[in-house]
Amino acid sequence: MHEATRRTGHLPAHLATILAGALTVVSACRTSSGPVTASPRTLIASVRSEPRSFNRFVARDATTDVISHLTQASLVRIDRTTGALEPELARSWRRLPDGLSYDVTLEEGLRFSDGEPFTTADVVFTFEALYDEDGGIALADTVRVSDRPLAVLALDARTVRITLPGPFGPGLRILDGVPMLPRHRLAAALRDREFARVWGPATAPSAVVGLGPYALEAVQPGEGMTFVRNPHFAGRVAAASPDRIVLRVVPDPETELVMLEAGDLDLPPAELRPSDYGALRRRGGGAVALHELGIALDGDLFWINLAARKVADERSRWLQHPQLRAAIALAVDRRAFVDSVYFGDAQPACGLVSPGNLEWAAPTDDCRFDPGEARRLLTSLNLTDIDGDGTLDAGRSGAARFTLLTQRGHASLERGASFVADSLSRVGLAVDVVPLDPGALVDRIQSGTYDAAYFKLLTSDTDPALNADFWRSSGQAHVWNPGQVRPATAWERRIDALMDEVAGSTDSERRHAAFCDIQAIVNRERPVDVFAFPRLRIATSRRIARVQPALHRPFVLWKPNAIEMRDAR
């Protein structure tokens, strides 16, 4: 799947307690991965599309994210099965008395996949690239506190001081998913303003260097990529973990399922579609193992483009009006949506935050289905059915019509978009659903050349302070109107202020109260709507003996070194 990614809820809700006072955390002993065997144990996984880049700093597509989990590593990471913050490249950290600074000590003897040593000089370089205007364009917004960057200072070859610009409740959780980059490989590109183009899809595999458990070995354009065990990886590796991982590009989930049942695929990238889950259960699984994960933390999102550039569109007087969004929310029968789109295998969504996020979701029962009230709201926008054909008219601009973009080949997105369009047609709105290939869809959204979208954004942490680029008006993942210089509306200004409390306070009750207020505002203004949260199941081949699946993608490859296999391919 080629959904965009953002840093948001991604874990079970029993999160680790945020560091309080001076605290030191020490990692477990690390063991070498050892050499790749002569007869390698190969895992074959699939992705929906080729990567936009091998550089996570400049691309946020799902394939690039998977590759980052295979080849890169962060100072610390969040265990997606427990929610706890744990060391990765760091051996320990200590919070200083100022409450803002952390002294982080690296593990000894760490080396990149090309054998070069990893030191605090690489850490400092990583943050220079992250905050450079030509550097971490896809990631920088997620590693700021109150829109300000972190300060990073090397104290010696193994100790770095990281200082937050202000109080920040999640502490070092902000560093999860920030891969440490090789200064010796990328410094020249950053200096020459070529960083955004380095490690592109045509890069020689040997040039892509990282600290993760695997290294890129080969790229077959249009077909896939092969990764081999990183001989310098210092982390713990499962006894029967794969020696080689092949990512095959399989755009079609139907083909993917055939490959899985035939034994030609071990690990699909996405959750099972409800229809596929039922079919596999009826067939008894065979070569396929089924895994139950729970209620998804992400639902498919519907939003209207509210960017200022759309004001020139003569339809903006009604298309960008809050009454339209309220009418749309009332026009969609969410229980019928669950039955039609997910075959009953989902939970109706009454709010934007999934009930699967047990710690942060505010209770709400605002799931009212009232097409009569929806029609009244549309009439209040001076949309009337002049000729009696059932479609409302908008004066000189003609029929009240807009285009809804979604992803081609994604069954639940296509069914969901069609359901929404059918629901809106019953209250007089004409909606043209336009499925696009993933890359074209992302380009249209990022350029702002669309009316409305029905798409999925992936998340990476349940703590909303790490969703800042989605909630804040200045964020690039604030999808309905991204990158605002100043808040376009009073309610967005209020959300920004509440996010200051969510992010800046270390008082848990204050943080949770502020986020409850944010959810109430969003549920009232409806800039984004979710109609259902599906139940998640994944499938793997029975050649995989053990995995640590999480609630969010990549469900298994978030920790590839924990995979255990039964036999060699």
Side-chain angles (χ1 to χ4, degrees):
M1 206 71 59
H2 192 100
E3 293 89 345
T5 59
R6 76 177 188 270
R7 294 171 62 85
T8 340
H10 191 298
L11 327 167
H14 42 287
L15 300 178
T17 303
I18 303 302
L19 295 174
L23 178 67
T24 300
V25 180
V26 180
S27 68
C29 296
R30 297 172 179 264
T31 60
S32 170
S33 64
V36 176
T37 60
S39 179
R41 187 180 293 108
T42 299
L43 178 141
I44 298 179
S46 59
V47 291
R48 291 282 193 260
S49 61
E50 294 182 89
R52 297 169 75 87
S53 174
F54 292 117
N55 185 350
R56 181 65 181 84
F57 278 35
V58 301
R60 58 196 307 161
D61 61 283
T63 302
T64 299
D65 186 51
V66 168
I67 292 169
S68 183
H69 283 287
L70 293 175
T71 62
Q72 307 297 328
S74 306
L75 292 175
V76 296
R77 71 174 175 190
I78 295 164
D79 184 325
R80 297 185 179 184
T81 63
T82 67
L85 186 68
E86 63 182 19
E88 190 168 21
L89 300 174
R91 180 179 181 84
S92 64
W93 61 85
R94 181 173 63 92
R95 193 164 101 167
L96 302 186
D98 65 4
L100 302 177
S101 300
Y102 297 81
D103 282 354
V104 179
T105 301
L106 305 181
E107 272 285 358
E108 290 187 71
L110 296 178
R111 292 184 177 274
F112 287 98
S113 53
D114 63 356
E116 289 294 316
F118 169 65
T119 72
T120 52
D122 298 293
V123 179
V124 172
F125 168 76
T126 294
F127 284 89
E128 288 175 355
L130 181 69
Y131 296 128
D132 187 87
E133 62 181 13
D134 296 316
I137 54 177
L139 204 57
D141 281 350
T142 71
V143 197
R144 296 181 187 271
V145 174
S146 300
D147 291 329
R148 292 179 291 167
L150 281 58
V152 181
L153 175 67
L155 302 181
D156 56 45
R158 286 188 55 219
T159 309
V160 63
R161 179 165 295 168
I162 298 174
T163 302
L164 307 176
F168 187 63
L172 289 184
R173 293 177 76 90
I174 197 171
L175 301 182
D176 174 61
V178 180
M180 294 294 105
L181 300 180
R183 181 177 178 273
H184 66 286
R185 291 275 185 166
L186 299 177
L190 185 66
R191 180 195 63 222
D192 297 338
R193 298 190 174 278
E194 292 292 325
F195 186 84
R197 288 166 287 281
V198 77
W199 285 5
T203 302
S206 60
V208 180
V209 171
L211 293 153
Y214 291 87
L216 182 63
E217 180 186 49
V219 177
Q220 300 82 33
E223 297 181 16
M225 296 141 280
T226 302
F227 301 81
V228 293
R229 193 87 66 80
N230 174 5
H232 300 287
F233 180 62
R236 179 175 291 149
V237 176
S241 68
D243 295 308
R244 177 174 275 107
I245 293 179
V246 175
L247 293 185
R248 287 184 176 169
V249 178
V250 185
D252 177 21
E254 299 287 351
T255 302
E256 195 172 67
L257 187 63
V258 170
M259 291 173 63
L260 182 66
E261 291 196 274
D264 296 326
L265 180 67
D266 298 309
L267 185 62
E271 65 273 19
L272 281 170
R273 298 173 299 181
S275 57
D276 293 338
Y277 174 74
L280 288 171
R281 285 198 66 184
R282 287 191 296 273
R283 291 197 288 270
V288 179
L290 304 176
H291 307 262
E292 301 268 354
L293 303 186
I295 296 293
L297 295 174
D298 297 315
D300 298 337
L301 304 183
F302 171 90
W303 72 90
I304 301 286
N305 182 358
L306 301 182
R309 73 184 72 179
K310 289 291 286 185
V311 172
D313 188 326
E314 61 182 343
R315 299 171 300 161
S316 65
R317 72 161 185 87
W318 59 269
L319 188 57
Q320 293 192 324
H321 199 285
Q323 295 284 62
L324 177 75
R325 304 193 297 273
I328 291 171
L330 291 167
V332 177
D333 184 340
R334 292 161 199 257
R335 295 192 181 280
F337 184 95
V338 166
D339 292 338
S340 177
V341 176
Y342 293 106
F343 307 106
D345 209 15
Q347 184 168 321
C350 298
L352 187 56
V353 179
S354 168
N357 188 344
L358 300 178
E359 181 173 355
W360 290 97
T364 177
D365 57 0
D366 188 15
C367 284
R368 185 160 55 113
F369 170 55
D370 191 339
E373 176 64 8
R375 188 70 177 241
R376 188 194 69 77
L377 290 173
L378 295 173
T379 301
S380 75
L381 296 175
N382 295 320
L383 301 177
T384 57
D385 184 3
I386 296 174
D387 53 13
D389 65 353
T391 299
L392 298 173
D393 295 286
R396 290 184 307 171
S397 60
R401 177 184 297 273
F402 65 89
T403 297
L404 179 61
L405 304 184
T406 193
Q407 181 177 329
R408 188 195 313 275
H410 187 303
S412 67
L413 284 174
E414 290 187 326
R415 283 197 302 269
S418 295
F419 188 96
V420 171
D422 290 344
S423 298
L424 298 186
S425 71
R426 296 189 188 100
V427 296
L429 293 174
V431 180
D432 300 313
V433 176
V434 177
L436 296 175
D437 291 333
L441 176 58
V442 171
D443 288 343
R444 288 282 296 275
I445 292 172
Q446 290 181 339
S447 67
T449 54
Y450 70 101
D451 296 335
Y454 187 69
F455 196 36
K456 182 187 289 292
L457 269 71
L458 302 182
T459 58
S460 61
D461 196 294
T462 48
D463 193 316
L466 297 174
N467 308 354
D469 62 331
F470 177 79
W471 298 106
R472 289 189 185 276
S473 61
S474 59
Q476 292 304 314
H478 193 75
V479 288
W480 59 93
N481 190 5
Q484 299 173 40
V485 176
R486 59 184 61 85
T489 63
W491 57 268
E492 285 174 297
R493 186 178 305 111
R494 177 59 180 155
I495 287 177
D496 285 353
L498 288 167
M499 278 302 299
D500 289 341
E501 187 79 5
V502 171
S505 176
T506 55
D507 183 308
S508 179
E509 287 188 12
R510 288 175 61 186
R511 297 184 71 219
H512 283 78
F515 193 60
C516 280
D517 289 346
I518 288 173
Q519 292 174 78
I521 293 171
V522 170
N523 290 344
R524 182 187 73 232
E525 300 294 337
R526 300 284 182 181
V528 178
D529 216 333
V530 177
F531 304 112
F533 292 103
R535 293 182 177 87
L536 290 184
R537 285 110 174 188
I538 64 170
T540 65
S541 78
R542 293 195 181 275
R543 293 184 60 252
I544 297 179
R546 181 177 178 273
V547 294
Q548 292 185 20
L551 267 178
H552 257 260
R553 300 180 194 175
F555 299 116
V556 172
L557 289 178
W558 75 275
K559 195 173 184 180
N561 47 307
I563 298 171
E564 293 189 32
M565 303 188 71
R566 287 193 169 89
D567 55 35
R569 184 180 293 275

